Amino acid sequence: MDRVPALEEPLKKLLGGPTAKVMAEHLDLHTVGDLLHHYPRRYEERGQLTKLAELPLDEDVTVVAQVADARVLTFNQGRGQRLEITITDGSGRLQLVFFGRGIHKPHKELLPGSRAMFAGKVSMFNRRMQLAHPTYAKLGADAAEGDDAVDIDSWAGALIPIYPACKGLESWKIAKAVDAVLPSAQEAVDPLPEALRDGRGFVSLPEALLKVHRPRALADIEDARQRLKWDEAFVLQVALARRRHADGQLPAVARRPAPGGLLDAFDAKLPFTLTDGQQKVSKEIFDDLATEHPMHRLLQGEVGSGKTMVALRAMLAVVDSGGQAAMLAPTEVLAQQHHRSITEMMGELAEGGMLGGSDLGTKVVLLTGSMGMPARRQALLDLVTGEAGVVIGTHALIEDKVQFHDLGLVVVDEQHRFGVEQRDALRGKGKQPPHLLVMTATPIPRTVAMTVFGDLETSVLDQLPAGRSPIASHVVPAQDKPHFLARAWERVREEVDKGHQAYVVCPRIGDDEDEAKSAKGKKKAEEAETADKRPPLAVIEIADQLSRGPLQGLRTEILHGRMQPDDKDDVMRRFGAGEVDVLVATTVIEVGVNVPNATAMVIMDADRFGVSQLHQLRGRVGRGSAPGLCLLVTDMPEASAARARLNAVASTLDGFELSRIDLEQRREGDVLGQAQSGVRSSLRMLTVIDDEEVIAAAREEAAAVVAEDPDLAQLPGLRTALDALLDKDREQYLDKG
């Protein structure tokens, strides 16, 4: 029987069942290799842990201190007991409290004069800071007793690694577990080619692992971090470079627009001139479409920069060449909106084969899951015969029944809303791989584009079409200043009096199904950063309150994802036609909804939305000639992180700047499509915002390595690292990206 490589040994075998179970369930660590790549998040020098005089409230801390005194008190008429221990570190004093049966062990072990390391969350009681039921590990001479004792000699003079920990497994317990597996680091297979490693002066991988976990000096930590960041960046960029190389080998049909054809006819009837940005990006796309390898291009642009126009011209170019184009939209509302606006822009060119249609025209069909059977049957027929050159649809396009005559281009709108399998299924419907254009209105910093979309060429639209108006954004602190909220509703009335329309956005629907979900998620809501732990505001309730209160007399309608499709379409059509003054909606209006007459937006519980989402929502106003107004309503206090986030959104309309702020506030795993790939992010040390130079350099090195040896036949260590860091699911994710 083959010996299991040291780094693939299950932790259960070395650490025992209970510890391994906690590590697997809470930290997603299963093997020796996983634990070796669970790096300390910071380091403390002995005696330089958080000083008692500088403890931050409501934060988890680790302190080293001496027990000054201990006393047991009774309460509740003698029925309850509590142990109060005062500890000191020379800078200040802190009280520890234990209750009930939990007092016996610490009362016996934490005697006056003993030293220990304590970990817990700092709270306030009777205007005094305290740690309630902290975990502790005894130090020095006292360390001989107790299960959680820590040998002071092992810490002497060294830097203390503080690990990302979890309930039931404190940092020092993880440190002990790392000690048990650290000898296996010697067998770590080095992924970096020797020439690259020597050229950049990196330490070996076993040495880097030893230095990151047990540094003797600060220089050790720096050596290890530089090396381990490079591993992560390089392995990921090699995977992407291999993907690009493989795509370059695939055949595709070159799609060139016919002179005097559909595209020229469409351009001739446009009532405006394309921006320089739209023309530049269109040229990049047309050059890609004209090659005999599939285009893989990411089109990212500011909200309202005219991405749909660029995508439509690419689709018409493909139809001109005899192919078909499909646009995949994440919601029915957006699919219907795209269908409506595209058929309006094309006019008689969207009525190919119909009475009154243009001879140059084609059919533009809509396909969604809730369409009636006759309309659906006709749409499917138009696709399989090639009558319809353009189809716009939701995930209904992916079903097996949907067959194309000759699918030449797939446009994916709002890429982050789709799972990998969905995109891949649609791409698989072409006789040969179709060209792929991925669009997103969420601007992506360059480093993220290189890391997440490294197999796609990137085009950026950052110029707004002429006639677009500026949007003023303000935070409305409803709790601190209720009169600000009253003024917000007055501003909505003023906009309506001028003949304009407004959106009011809420985080929740408020129907029965919503309530059931809300009850289920109540515990999570209690843990969320909210001002008063109330549930999020709901569309149905707010619409009712506004209709009977501050917006009485205005034509108010609601829109949310669980309405019947025909009802949704009817509301959007009437709002677009100016028959509705105020639309109270969920984020179903977040992308693609285009009503130029809507000038005001009030976002309730704005702190419940992400930065990019707020920027998207705000982009629904100011789409015409009148200036836009966006009011971010929140109950969060002024000093909170949520308010800082809202202030950032209010202070700039630059989506790239906001995406950077957004990224800094979220985990790297979110950014790397963790939700889509179904596996955890492989990044432990690399941060895509701070390590731009590392990522850019790794991308160049990876491209050179793959160009020379696409199968990595000469680099078995790198091949192994690809298999380990980018397991099969993640490779597949990159394959399909």
Side-chain angles (χ1 to χ4, degrees):
M1 199 170 112
D2 289 344
R3 190 174 72 88
V4 177
L7 269 62
E8 289 172 31
E9 284 278 13
L11 288 172
K12 187 177 177 180
K13 199 168 168 187
L14 276 85
L15 307 178
T19 303
K21 189 177 180 207
V22 176
M23 284 193 169
E25 287 177 3
H26 295 284
L27 299 173
D28 200 14
L29 305 176
H30 306 272
T31 65
V32 167
D34 290 343
L35 182 53
L36 286 173
H37 289 292
H38 184 71
Y39 307 130
R41 59 189 167 87
R42 61 188 174 87
Y43 301 83
E44 297 285 6
E45 292 179 57
R46 270 240 335 282
Q48 285 191 0
L49 286 92
T50 315
K51 288 184 178 171
L52 296 187
E54 299 165 7
L55 288 181
L57 193 60
D58 282 339
E59 279 192 27
D60 286 297
V61 297
T62 302
V63 298
V64 168
Q66 190 165 27
V67 176
D69 60 61
R71 57 193 182 138
V72 175
L73 304 171
T74 57
F75 60 94
N76 201 5
Q77 294 173 330
R79 287 198 294 273
Q81 282 189 314
R82 89 171 169 268
L83 170 65
E84 287 185 1
I85 294 177
T86 306
I87 59 171
T88 178
D89 66 351
S91 76
R93 294 165 82 83
L94 178 68
Q95 188 164 286
L96 316 178
V97 290
F98 300 86
F99 295 97
R101 291 192 198 139
I103 75 171
H104 303 305
K105 189 168 182 268
H107 191 217
K108 196 170 70 182
E109 292 181 348
L110 297 175
L111 303 172
S114 60
R115 290 184 74 233
M117 197 184 294
F118 303 92
K121 192 168 196 171
V122 183
S123 58
M124 186 75 82
F125 182 72
N126 279 347
R127 290 192 289 188
R128 285 172 68 190
M129 283 192 177
Q130 66 172 30
L131 295 183
H133 280 278
T135 54
Y136 59 88
K138 301 204 293 179
L139 297 172
D142 306 307
E145 310 159 36
D147 298 338
D148 290 337
V150 171
D151 176 11
I152 199 77
D153 295 334
S154 67
W155 303 97
L159 292 151
I160 301 174
I162 306 295
Y163 288 91
C166 63
K167 190 173 168 61
L169 206 59
E170 295 82 12
S171 172
W172 57 74
K173 288 185 182 171
I174 295 172
K176 278 187 165 182
V178 169
D179 282 338
V181 302
L182 209 47
S184 301
Q186 293 306 318
E187 295 190 38
V189 179
D190 205 318
L192 295 191
E194 198 175 337
L196 192 160
R197 196 172 67 227
D198 294 346
R200 292 188 174 268
F202 289 137
V203 298
S204 70
L205 180 55
E207 191 180 341
L209 289 170
L210 192 63
K211 283 183 167 182
V212 80
H213 289 293
R214 298 295 172 261
R216 294 179 177 277
L218 292 173
D220 285 353
I221 300 168
E222 190 52 32
D223 283 352
R225 280 187 166 155
Q226 289 305 327
R227 167 62 217 254
L228 296 168
K229 278 181 182 183
W230 248 90
D231 281 15
E232 290 173 7
F234 182 69
V235 171
L236 191 53
Q237 291 302 333
V238 165
L240 293 165
R242 293 184 79 215
R243 180 68 251 144
R244 287 195 301 277
H245 183 271
D247 285 341
Q249 313 302 307
L250 290 173
V253 178
R255 308 283 180 176
R256 298 181 183 87
L262 177 58
L263 180 61
D264 285 350
F266 175 73
D267 284 349
K269 71 192 289 295
L270 280 179
F272 52 82
T273 312
L274 295 175
T275 65
D276 292 345
Q278 285 174 316
Q279 289 178 356
K280 173 177 159 284
V281 169
S282 288
K283 183 182 183 309
E284 290 170 353
I285 291 170
F286 289 159
D287 287 350
D288 282 358
L289 290 174
T291 65
E292 292 181 353
H293 300 293
M295 166 173 78
H296 288 92
R297 188 166 283 278
L298 170 71
L299 171 56
Q300 55 167 322
E302 277 291 9
V303 178
S305 58
K307 292 182 299 299
T308 308
M309 173 60 69
V310 168
L312 175 57
R313 293 183 72 245
M315 291 162 85
L316 297 182
V318 168
V319 175
D320 249 354
S321 74
Q324 292 168 291
M327 180 184 268
L328 188 58
T331 64
E332 291 209 354
V333 167
L334 189 51
Q336 288 162 342
Q337 177 83 18
H338 276 320
H339 182 253
R340 193 181 303 116
S341 62
I342 283 173
T343 49
E344 280 170 12
M345 282 193 280
M346 288 177 66
E348 73 281 1
L349 295 173
E351 296 167 0
M354 293 187 255
L355 200 60
S358 164
D359 292 342
L360 291 169
T362 187
K363 255 191 183 178
V364 178
V365 300
L366 175 70
L367 189 64
T368 65
S370 63
M371 282 169 70
M373 217 44 224
R376 185 181 176 79
R377 205 173 284 126
Q378 185 59 52
L380 292 172
L381 187 64
D382 289 340
L383 286 178
V384 77
T385 60
E387 280 287 301
V390 175
V391 58
I392 294 134
T394 55
H395 54 271
L397 279 176
I398 293 162
E399 291 170 12
D400 291 342
K401 290 177 193 156
V402 181
Q403 300 296 324
F404 289 85
H405 177 67
D406 179 16
L407 180 61
L409 171 66
V410 172
V411 178
V412 180
D413 191 19
E414 287 311 312
Q415 183 274 342
H416 63 281
R417 302 287 196 89
F418 289 98
V420 176
E421 288 73 20
Q422 291 172 308
R423 294 200 303 276
D424 201 46
L426 186 53
R427 279 170 68 182
K429 288 185 179 290
K431 293 188 175 77
Q432 282 195 319
H435 298 280
L436 176 70
L437 180 65
V438 167
M439 297 200 299
T440 178
T442 307
I444 302 161
R446 176 172 166 259
T447 44
V448 183
M450 282 194 296
T451 308
V452 185
F453 302 105
D455 57 336
L456 299 176
E457 299 300 325
T458 304
S459 294
V460 177
L461 266 180
D462 50 11
Q463 180 185 8
L464 295 186
R468 279 287 159 83
S469 302
I471 305 168
S473 304
H474 304 283
V475 177
V476 178
Q479 191 90 329
D480 307 349
K481 298 175 179 171
H483 59 287
F484 275 34
L485 183 58
R487 176 67 187 129
W489 302 127
E490 283 172 19
R491 285 291 289 113
V492 170
R493 288 198 88 99
E494 287 164 14
E495 289 300 309
V496 174
D497 288 345
K498 289 182 201 166
H500 298 308
Q501 293 155 278
Y503 298 98
V504 176
V505 181
C506 302
R508 200 162 57 93
I509 296 171
D511 58 7
D512 294 342
E513 194 177 330
D514 207 37
E515 296 307 328
K517 269 191 190 167
S518 173
K520 206 172 173 185
K522 195 174 176 199
K523 189 166 184 289
K524 278 190 179 174
E526 283 170 4
E527 292 162 6
E529 182 198 20
T530 52
D532 54 1
K533 305 293 190 282
R534 62 163 169 72
L537 295 172
V539 166
I540 293 168
E541 292 146 25
I542 292 292
D544 185 50
Q545 288 169 22
L546 293 176
S547 299
R548 288 189 286 149
L551 303 186
Q552 194 170 3
L554 301 188
R555 297 170 298 175
T556 302
E557 291 277 2
I558 65 171
L559 180 72
H560 58 74
R562 280 206 285 275
M563 286 166 62
Q564 288 302 313
D566 290 349
D567 295 341
K568 280 191 279 196
D569 202 31
D570 179 56
V571 170
M572 275 314 301
R573 188 191 53 71
R574 288 189 292 114
F575 188 64
E579 296 166 19
V580 173
D581 298 321
V582 179
L583 187 63
V584 185
T586 57
T587 54
V588 75
I589 58 143
E590 182 185 342
V591 285
V593 173
N594 185 25
V595 180
N597 191 46
T599 54
M601 175 177 284
V602 181
I603 303 178
M604 307 302 292
D605 277 347
D607 48 276
R608 310 254 183 172
F609 300 99
V611 170
S612 294
Q613 202 171 24
L614 291 170
H615 184 56
Q616 289 291 333
L617 287 165
R618 172 171 62 183
R620 300 308 108 211
V621 296
R623 299 178 80 85
S625 53
L629 173 69
C630 179
L631 301 174
L632 306 167
V633 180
T634 178
D635 282 350
M636 296 306 293
E638 195 168 352
S640 64
R643 274 286 280 281
R645 201 166 64 236
L646 296 181
N647 290 337
V649 174
S651 68
T652 180
L653 290 172
D654 182 341
F656 285 92
E657 175 57 28
L658 286 174
S659 70
R660 201 178 173 90
I661 292 167
D662 193 22
L663 183 57
E664 283 167 355
Q665 292 177 342
R666 292 188 303 157
R667 297 190 335 273
E668 301 286 335
D670 296 337
V671 178
L672 296 179
Q674 199 168 350
Q676 291 183 19
S677 67
V679 294
R680 66 177 186 273
S681 158
S682 58
L683 301 195
R684 309 273 200 291
M685 188 66 81
L686 192 75
T687 55
V688 288
I689 278 290
D690 299 332
D691 296 318
E692 183 166 344
E693 286 175 19
V694 174
I695 293 167
R699 183 181 167 93
E700 277 181 36
E701 294 275 16
V705 164
V706 171
E708 196 175 308
D709 181 6
D711 295 328
L712 309 179
Q714 306 303 311
L715 299 166
L718 179 52
R719 186 65 257 186
T720 304
L722 266 184
D723 295 341
L725 272 180
L726 306 171
D727 58 30
K728 285 196 173 64
D729 291 341
R730 183 140 182 92
E731 279 261 50
Q732 222 173 6
Y733 163 58
L734 290 165
D735 277 1
K736 296 174 181 180

